[in-house]
């Protein structure tokens, strides 16, 4: 897994990657995720880092542990991830996005048309 050189800790980037897989449908509620050791080997980090990611996701109720069996995607994971990502978007990213729109003269109607086109194009994939 390529990690970005940014202000996010690696364990958060790993957690974000798991959330991305849930949101894309690659992982579904009820699916088992790899063990800490398996995932650490896959992404090339220490098992303690992956364990920290799993603890973080467990605390947010995105995954849960069945003792002796492993970690699983929680039933409400999609809703939790959506809610959290919307909060992040509206508390920071949207302000930048709207500022850029205004600076280049995009109208709300143009943005709506572009967004509708994007949704239509990506729903066919």
């Amino acid at each position: 897994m390529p990690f970005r050189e940014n202000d996010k800790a690696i364990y958060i980037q790993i957690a974000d990657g798991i959330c991305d897989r849930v949101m894309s449908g690659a992982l579904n509620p009820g699916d088992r995720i790899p063990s800490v050791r398996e995932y650490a080997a896959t992404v090339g980090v220490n098992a303690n880092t992956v364990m920290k990611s799993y603890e973080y996701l467990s605390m947010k109720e995105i995954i849960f542990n069945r003792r002796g069996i492993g970690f699983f995607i929680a039933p409400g994971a999609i809703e939790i991830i959506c809610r959290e990502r919307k909060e992040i978007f509206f508390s920071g990213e949207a302000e930048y996005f709207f500022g850029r729109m205004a600076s280049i003269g995009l109208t709300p109607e143009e943005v709506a048309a572009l967004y509708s086109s994007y949704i239509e194009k990506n729903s066919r994939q």
Side-chain angles (χ1 to χ4, degrees):
M1 174 179 191
F3 296 106
R4 295 169 291 227
E5 295 288 329
N6 61 19
D7 59 346
K8 281 190 177 181
I10 290 175
Y11 83 94
I12 299 288
Q13 291 182 49
I14 291 169
D16 284 348
I18 292 169
C19 290
D20 289 344
R21 293 182 65 210
V22 170
M23 296 308 294
S24 74
L27 289 172
N28 296 297
D31 286 355
R32 184 180 176 281
I33 59 175
S35 72
V36 170
R37 287 184 184 163
E38 289 170 331
Y39 206 72
T42 300
V43 297
V45 299
N46 185 291
N48 291 331
T49 304
V50 173
M51 189 63 217
K52 193 169 182 178
S53 298
Y54 283 17
E55 288 170 350
Y56 174 77
L57 291 170
S58 293
M59 180 188 73
K60 292 182 168 284
E61 299 180 347
I62 293 169
I63 65 172
F64 65 95
N65 185 13
R66 286 192 182 144
R67 198 162 200 89
I69 300 175
F71 286 92
F72 295 81
I73 304 299
I78 293 169
E79 292 81 10
I80 293 167
I81 296 165
C82 278
R83 184 175 57 245
E84 183 175 287
R85 289 186 171 182
K86 282 179 184 179
E87 288 172 10
I88 290 167
F89 178 76
F90 288 123
S91 70
E93 295 172 14
E95 186 72 25
Y96 174 78
F97 178 72
F98 293 143
R100 295 289 285 189
M101 286 173 40
S103 73
I104 62 173
L106 276 175
T107 66
E109 294 79 20
E110 289 173 310
V111 174
L114 288 169
Y115 184 65
S116 292
S117 175
Y118 171 83
I119 294 297
E120 185 178 317
K121 181 179 103 182
N122 287 296
S123 68
R124 289 186 235 142
Q125 295 177 351

